[in-house]
Amino acid sequence: MMILGIVVFAVGLLISIAWHELGHLSTAKLFGIRVPQYMVGFGPTLFSRTKGETEYGIKAIPLGGYIRMIGMFPPGPDGRVEARSTSPWRGMIEDARSAAFEELRPGDETRMFYTRKPWKRVIVMFAGPFMNLILAVALFLIVLMGFGISQQTTTVSSVSQCVIAQSENRDKCTSADQPSPAAAAGLKAGDRIVAFNGVRTDEWNELSDLIRANPGKEVPIVVDRKGEEVTLHAKIATNQVAKKDSGGQIVQGEYVNAGFLGFSAATGIVRQDFDESLVWMGDRVGEAVDSLAALPGKIPALWNAAFDGAEREPDSPMGVVGAARVGGEIFTLDIPPTQQLAMALMLVAGFNLSLFLFNMLPLLPLDGGHIAGALWESLRRNVAKVLRRPDPGPFDVAKLMPVAYVVAGIFICFTILVLIADVVNPVRIS
């Protein structure tokens, strides 16, 4: 089953890459830009077929993809694209400029990328990441609304016999501990709480907030016990409990004094409605942005995990190899097949969300770098128009190629580090 999971992730990866490049391809053709190549993967070509003016193909290394558009960079100030320089930095610029024109044909003068208005170039470069965002949202909605996700419910899993501050590292009662309100009220494992202090609810987060908001009060609690509603009465204790953030998530290591009933909630697979799904996805996007911003700070721990045998952190960055391994482990878990499939879809959805956010970074050679260049050109031209100055012309993104090579080098080094960590000390879910 491990192999099946890896294959499922690999197929999802290839579809995600092809879908991304389709966004670039379709909008480029929409705006009349000639696209000689559409490729999924890198390295040697395994299969290709030319249709119209575009060669479509699959390459051997499924770690990305690309389309080639003619005229990605404008010609130099002298109008030439093949001038050479002894400066290595100038050489990079000229190589990039020359590559952008190497397949130029008669009649292509008006079909080059750089000749399109900035807003059209923004659309072409944004379309790729946006396709990943669309796919991520679609997969998330399928899982959330179709399969459901594991979360705490209002059903009682177990009842605490006493009140213990959650900051204390113990679970056994002592003679000094007061009985828990849940135990004193007669709450039992298997009871499903349907109302608390007159408020009917079937959501754990709402029930938890109600309990926390009523310390010291005696409240009625209605439970469904084997199909019959039973009303219990409990005096809510004041206890030190884990702090929650604005999204209802537990803040590790922080505690507050709040109401305490004294039971553990059972977990179950719960389908979300559309509004709940939007909130859940919004939370995940926020977490993904935070993780991306925190990425540089995770490099030391990643290095230690790769070379010093340190424990791999659960939120450690993962590459394609690590994600494929997790995809394989999903299908070895002792859970229903539907939940295995749901987890696999979640993995592919998360991968697409990461692709969207990563590609939107305003750095060359990423899509966000080209978007930033087009926006800067638009700003320059509009300012010149307002000030009645000569049109400065297209912004020469090729001049940023030395920076792009540095950024690409950093990305490659980081990718190699992640690959080593994924092989020698992988993130595991089982």
Side-chain angles (χ1 to χ4, degrees):
M1 297 302 288
M2 181 84 172
I3 299 300
L4 175 62
I6 293 174
V7 170
V8 168
F9 176 78
V11 171
L13 173 65
L14 287 173
I15 292 174
S16 302
I17 294 170
W19 185 244
H20 174 105
E21 299 304 333
L22 181 62
H24 292 313
L25 177 73
S26 58
T27 49
K29 286 182 174 290
L30 176 66
F31 295 134
I33 302 166
R34 191 164 72 81
V35 184
Q37 271 193 325
Y38 168 95
M39 290 288 169
V40 177
F42 299 118
T45 301
L46 301 179
F47 165 82
S48 72
R49 180 181 178 183
T50 300
K51 185 175 181 181
E53 61 187 15
T54 304
E55 178 190 9
Y56 301 86
I58 298 175
K59 290 182 173 285
I61 306 174
L63 297 180
Y66 64 92
I67 68 167
R68 284 208 298 160
M69 295 180 284
I70 61 168
M72 284 290 290
F73 307 115
D78 59 358
R80 298 174 62 193
V81 298
E82 294 183 353
R84 300 303 303 164
S85 171
T86 56
S87 165
W89 297 109
R90 287 297 308 169
M92 291 180 186
I93 296 171
E94 290 155 5
D95 285 343
R97 204 188 315 279
S98 179
F101 287 81
E102 64 182 5
E103 294 191 56
L104 201 61
R105 298 175 181 174
D108 283 344
E109 292 80 9
T110 60
R111 301 190 63 193
M112 293 184 284
F113 177 77
Y114 85 90
T115 63
R116 295 301 176 262
K117 292 182 178 180
W119 66 268
K120 291 185 178 181
R121 278 179 275 151
V122 168
I123 289 176
V124 171
M125 300 313 298
F126 179 70
F130 185 60
M131 295 291 269
N132 291 124
L133 181 62
I134 291 174
L135 185 56
V137 170
L139 291 176
F140 280 139
L141 288 177
I142 289 172
V143 173
L144 294 169
M145 301 179 68
F147 292 89
I149 55 174
S150 178
Q151 63 182 38
Q152 290 178 296
T153 67
T154 59
T155 299
V156 178
S157 174
S158 61
V159 176
S160 304
Q161 296 303 308
C162 61
V163 177
I164 301 175
Q166 291 186 1
S167 60
E168 296 184 27
N169 189 23
R170 64 184 178 94
D171 55 10
K172 292 184 178 179
C173 299
T174 68
S175 58
D177 297 327
Q178 68 182 79
S180 75
L187 197 65
K188 298 180 179 180
D191 287 347
R192 181 170 62 87
I193 298 176
V194 296
F196 181 91
N197 199 23
V199 179
R200 296 192 72 86
T201 181
D202 58 359
E203 295 183 359
W204 163 249
N205 280 333
E206 183 181 18
L207 175 60
S208 174
D209 290 342
L210 288 170
I211 296 171
R212 288 169 176 250
N214 287 278
K217 296 181 180 178
E218 185 164 337
V219 300
I221 302 173
V222 180
V223 302
D224 183 316
R225 181 175 291 169
K226 297 180 180 180
E228 181 181 351
E229 290 196 354
V230 178
T231 301
L232 309 174
H233 293 84
K235 185 174 182 180
I236 305 302
T238 300
N239 192 21
Q240 191 180 64
V241 297
K243 182 180 178 180
K244 283 185 173 183
D245 61 21
S246 58
Q249 301 298 313
I250 296 298
V251 179
Q252 295 296 330
E254 296 188 31
Y255 304 92
V256 295
N257 289 323
F260 178 79
L261 182 54
F263 74 96
S264 296
T267 58
I269 303 301
V270 181
R271 290 182 180 178
Q272 311 294 298
D273 61 29
F274 185 70
D275 290 341
E276 291 171 334
S277 297
L278 291 181
V279 172
W280 187 94
M281 287 188 291
D283 291 340
R284 300 296 83 74
V285 170
E287 292 172 2
V289 171
D290 291 341
S291 296
L292 188 60
L295 203 58
K298 295 180 179 180
I299 292 178
L302 189 63
W303 178 276
N304 292 334
F307 298 106
D308 295 336
E311 184 177 354
R312 187 83 181 267
E313 296 178 358
D315 63 345
S316 175
M318 273 194 310
V320 172
V321 171
R325 183 170 190 142
V326 169
E329 288 191 9
I330 286 173
F331 282 81
T332 66
L333 298 177
D334 187 19
I335 56 176
T338 54
Q339 287 308 301
Q340 291 177 343
L341 178 58
M343 289 182 68
L345 292 176
M346 276 289 194
L347 182 64
V348 176
F351 176 79
N352 276 271
L353 177 59
S354 297
L355 273 181
F356 168 74
L357 294 174
F358 184 71
N359 272 289
M360 290 308 296
L361 292 175
L363 300 169
L364 285 174
L366 301 176
D367 296 328
H370 290 282
I371 292 172
L375 293 176
W376 173 245
E377 176 185 322
S378 179
L379 177 63
R380 288 197 318 165
R381 286 184 151 178
N382 282 302
V383 169
K385 184 182 294 184
V386 170
L387 298 179
R388 297 183 178 180
R389 293 177 179 174
D391 185 350
F395 173 63
D396 192 359
V397 182
K399 292 181 179 178
L400 299 180
M401 287 311 295
V403 177
Y405 280 112
V406 172
V407 172
I410 293 173
F411 287 162
I412 290 171
C413 291
F414 179 74
T415 300
I416 292 173
L417 176 60
V418 172
L419 174 63
I420 294 171
D422 285 343
V423 172
V424 303
N425 193 355
V427 174
R428 301 181 185 275
I429 61 170
S430 59

